[in-house]
């Protein structure tokens, strides 16, 4: 498989080992909670591994409208499990087919919104690797798709506090990850931080 050499990269090897030794913590799901999954998809590139991220399309009434995120969405009745949800949503939103061109390595810790104004939802982040020539073809739900070097994610100066505009609260100061003109915050920042800790071999 074309993605196999990526598993020999030291950071990705640590990540895979961490996911195998300590699978993500699963949240207690309440009756009101919807289930969803996202995928942190990594490919090899000449300058080192890269992570697929998206900017969600602007949509009225969507609390995550326009946010920088990882591909994903709510579980459908036809999905065998949340891993299948992550794979399906990634294929639908970006055209990247993890089932055909890659492998799911495991799950990070479940996430749920801390703001009670947001919908009650439990999100399971999955980590996957894909072939370096995977073609990205965003659908109407995605305004933009791009690859972020893992070297940028591992840059400590990219992490800190930042001011963002939340639909329900206006300007707020929150933990952020910055890459160029992109600011990642909220649930995606939390997933990305878990991802970083595992890459670095941190508890």
């Amino acid at each position: 498989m074309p993605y196999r050499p990526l598993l020999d990269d030291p950071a990705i090897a640590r990540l895979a080992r961490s996911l195998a030794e300590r699978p993500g913590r699963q949240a207690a799901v309440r009756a009101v909670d919807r289930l969803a999954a996202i995928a942190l998809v990594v490919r090899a590139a000449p300058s080192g591994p890269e992570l697929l991220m998206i900017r969600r399309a602007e949509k009225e009434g969507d609390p995550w409208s326009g946010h920088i995120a990882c591909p994903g969405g709510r579980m459908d009745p036809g999905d065998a499990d949340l891993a299948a949800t992550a794979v399906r949503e990634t294929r639908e939103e970006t055209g990247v087919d993890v089932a055909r061109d890659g492998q799911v390595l495991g799950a990070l810790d479940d996430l749920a919104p801390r703001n009670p104004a947001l919908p009650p939802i439990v999100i399971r982040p999955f980590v996957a690797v894909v072939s370096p020539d995977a073609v990205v073809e965003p659908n109407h739900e995605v305004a933009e798709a791009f690859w972020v070097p893992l070297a940028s994610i591992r840059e400590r100066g990219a992490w800190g506090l930042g001011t963002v505009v939340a639909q329900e609260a206006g300007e707020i100061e929150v933990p952020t990850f910055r890459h160029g003109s992109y600011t990642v915050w909220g649930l995606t920042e939390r997933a990305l931080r878990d991802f970083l800790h595992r890459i670095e071999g941190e508890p």
Side-chain angles (χ1 to χ4, degrees):
M1 292 290 186
Y3 64 85
R4 296 296 300 181
L6 178 59
L7 299 177
D8 293 328
D9 179 272
I12 303 305
R14 277 194 302 273
L15 173 65
R17 187 165 57 250
S18 172
L19 292 168
E21 293 174 352
R22 190 185 72 75
R25 299 182 183 93
Q26 297 187 7
V29 178
R30 305 165 300 174
V32 297
D33 289 327
R34 295 290 300 272
L35 297 178
I38 62 173
L40 288 83
V41 179
V42 182
R43 73 172 184 182
S47 58
E50 299 175 326
L51 176 72
L52 177 62
M53 300 201 76
I54 62 172
R55 180 168 60 85
R56 297 205 167 278
E58 301 283 344
K59 183 179 178 183
E60 188 174 352
D62 178 2
W64 296 287
S65 173
H67 284 205
I68 306 303
C70 296
R74 291 180 177 178
M75 187 177 193
D76 279 353
D79 294 337
D81 52 27
L82 283 170
T85 300
V87 170
R88 175 184 56 76
E89 285 282 347
T90 299
R91 183 179 64 251
E92 291 176 358
E93 291 186 344
T94 70
V96 174
D97 192 338
V98 174
R100 183 190 64 203
D101 299 325
Q103 175 187 344
V104 174
L105 299 182
L108 301 172
D109 294 349
D110 283 359
L111 301 169
R114 291 170 175 160
N115 186 335
L118 292 173
I121 193 168
V122 172
I123 302 168
R124 186 160 300 158
F126 288 89
V127 177
V129 292
V130 293
S131 168
D133 57 0
V135 177
V136 179
E137 296 178 340
N139 73 356
H140 66 281
E141 298 177 78
V142 176
E144 181 184 3
F146 54 96
W147 296 92
V148 178
L150 258 61
S152 296
I153 296 172
R154 299 175 76 178
E155 176 56 55
R156 296 294 177 170
W159 298 82
L161 291 176
T163 301
V164 300
V165 178
Q167 287 186 2
E168 67 286 348
E171 287 194 356
I172 55 175
E173 189 175 59
V174 294
T176 61
F177 164 73
R178 295 184 183 276
H179 174 66
S181 62
Y182 304 111
T183 299
V184 180
W185 61 286
L187 292 162
T188 305
E189 189 272 346
R190 288 161 58 191
L192 206 56
R193 190 178 293 272
D194 188 1
F195 177 77
L196 172 63
H197 288 168
R198 290 171 180 267
I199 283 175
E200 302 288 18
E202 298 172 355

